[in-house]
Amino acid sequence: MPAVVQTGQALHQQWQALVSQHVKPINHGSSSAVDYAAMQQQRTQLQSYLKQLSSISQTQFDAWNKASQLAFLINAYNAWTVELILTKYPDIESIKDLGGLFSSPWDKSVIPLLGKTRSLNDIEHKLIRGSDRYNDPRIHFAVNCASIGCPALLEEAYTGAKLEQQLDAQTKRFLADTSRNYAKGDTVYLSAIFKWYGDDFTQGFAGADSVEAFLLLYPNALQLNAEQQAAAKKQQLDIDFLDYNWSLNAVR
C-alpha cells in the first residue's frame, strides 16, 4: 500500500474499530471511559494495529504532511497506552501501578516506532512536543494517559484530514468539563495539565502567548463571562490548579 494512502483511514482502521466500539462517552459527553475488558478480548486486533504502526519507516513518515504525522503520533501514544494497561488488566487501578519505586510507566522503552525502540515519554515529549514541527498545545487534550484526570480518549482514530476539527473539538470538550476546569468569580480553576505544560500555551499558537490568552480562544467552552474575559485579557484572572485523578479511566 503506498505511503500516501497509509497516512489516513486505511492505516488507522483497526484503531478506529476498537475505540468506536469500546470507548464510551460519560459525564454528558465531556469525557470518556474505556471498556478494557472488551479491549482485552480484542487484544490481537490491537497488537495487529501496533505492528502496522511499527512498519512505517522514518522516510515514509517524513513524506507525510504535518497533520498526518501528528495524527499518527497521537494514535500511537493512545494505542500503546491501552496495550500497556492490558499487560496487567484487570489487576490494575492506575497506570502508575505499571511503574516501580524508581521507574515510571512512561519511561518504559518497549515501543518499536519509526526505527527505534521508544517510550511513551519519547513519543509525547521528543517526537511531538520536542520536534518543533507542530507547536500545537491542543495535543494535551488528545494524548490520553489512561486516567480519570486525563482529557477524554477520543472515540475515533485521529487522521490528518480531520485533525484540525478533532483537536478543536477535544479542546472544547475538555475545557467544558467542569470536573476538570471551571471559572468562579475572579478565579479560574484548571486541570494540572496547564501547570505541568504551561510553557506550551505561551508559544504563539493562534496568537496566544499565555495560558490566559489560550483560554480566551475558547471562552464559551469555559463559560467565561464578560468580566472574567476582561480580567483574562489583562492577565488579572487568578489561576488555581486542581488535583489530578490518576485512577484508571475504566468503564465503571
Side-chain angles (χ1 to χ4, degrees), residues 92-137:
I92 183 172
E93 295 181 359
S94 168
I95 189 172
K96 289 190 168 186
D97 295 344
L98 297 174
L101 189 59
F102 300 107
S103 63
S104 160
W106 294 280
D107 285 328
K108 288 188 172 186
S109 294
V110 294
I111 303 170
L113 197 70
L114 301 177
K116 295 182 179 179
T117 303
R118 306 179 189 269
S119 66
L120 290 173
N121 272 343
D122 288 337
I123 296 175
E124 181 178 7
H125 304 308
K126 294 180 181 178
L127 297 180
I128 297 178
R129 296 179 62 237
S131 70
D132 293 326
R133 287 185 180 188
Y134 311 111
N135 187 29
D136 195 329

Side-chain angles (χ1 to χ4, degrees), residues 10-36:
L11 175 59
H12 302 298
Q13 186 173 7
Q14 288 176 301
W15 182 239
Q16 169 72 30
L18 288 168
V19 292
S20 64
Q21 292 177 74
H22 306 315
V23 178
K24 314 295 184 183
I26 59 173
N27 299 337
H28 306 289
S30 62
S31 191
S32 68
V34 180
D35 188 341
Y36 287 105

Side-chain angles (χ1 to χ4, degrees), residues 28-244:
H28 306 289
S30 62
S31 191
S32 68
V34 180
D35 188 341
Y36 287 105
M39 284 283 195
Q40 189 80 276
Q41 293 296 314
Q42 291 190 269
R43 193 172 175 192
T44 301
Q45 184 174 331
L46 173 61
Q47 291 175 339
S48 173
Y49 172 64
L50 296 175
K51 286 179 182 177
Q52 261 194 291
L53 297 186
S54 297
S55 73
I56 300 299
S57 70
Q58 185 72 54
T59 301
Q60 284 177 296
F61 178 84
D62 289 339
W64 298 344
N65 61 41
K66 288 183 180 181
S68 295
Q69 291 176 357
L70 190 50
F72 173 91
L73 295 173
I74 292 170
N75 288 334
Y77 185 99
N78 291 343
W80 266 105
T81 297
V82 171
E83 168 62 15
L84 289 173
I85 295 297
L86 294 182
T87 63
K88 295 295 184 182
Y89 188 83
D91 302 316
I92 183 172
E93 295 181 359
S94 168
I95 189 172
K96 289 190 168 186
D97 295 344
L98 297 174
L101 189 59
F102 300 107
S103 63
S104 160
W106 294 280
D107 285 328
K108 288 188 172 186
S109 294
V110 294
I111 303 170
L113 197 70
L114 301 177
K116 295 182 179 179
T117 303
R118 306 179 189 269
S119 66
L120 290 173
N121 272 343
D122 288 337
I123 296 175
E124 181 178 7
H125 304 308
K126 294 180 181 178
L127 297 180
I128 297 178
R129 296 179 62 237
S131 70
D132 293 326
R133 287 185 180 188
Y134 311 111
N135 187 29
D136 195 329
R138 298 174 301 173
I139 63 99
H140 293 297
F141 314 119
V143 294
N144 181 274
C145 64
S147 304
I148 289 175
C150 295
L153 178 60
L154 187 60
E155 299 90 336
E156 63 182 20
Y158 288 90
T159 63
K162 295 179 65 177
L163 185 65
E164 176 60 32
Q165 170 192 338
Q166 289 170 321
L167 291 178
D168 192 60
Q170 283 293 94
T171 301
K172 292 175 180 175
R173 184 181 192 181
F174 185 63
L175 290 175
D177 184 349
T178 54
S179 70
R180 293 165 174 80
N181 307 279
Y182 65 94
K184 186 176 181 180
D186 58 1
T187 302
V188 62
Y189 298 86
L190 298 178
S191 164
I193 287 172
F194 287 98
K195 175 173 64 175
W196 299 331
Y197 304 113
D199 286 349
D200 288 8
F201 298 92
T202 69
Q203 303 301 312
F205 171 78
D209 58 2
S210 66
V211 169
E212 294 90 338
F214 180 84
L215 298 178
L216 285 170
L217 299 174
Y218 303 95
N220 294 334
L222 202 52
Q223 298 184 42
L224 296 177
N225 62 33
E227 291 79 11
Q228 290 162 341
Q229 291 183 52
K233 287 177 183 176
K234 298 175 183 177
Q235 296 196 8
Q236 294 175 351
L237 194 63
D238 291 331
I239 297 178
D240 280 353
F241 298 104
L242 302 173
D243 291 336
Y244 206 78

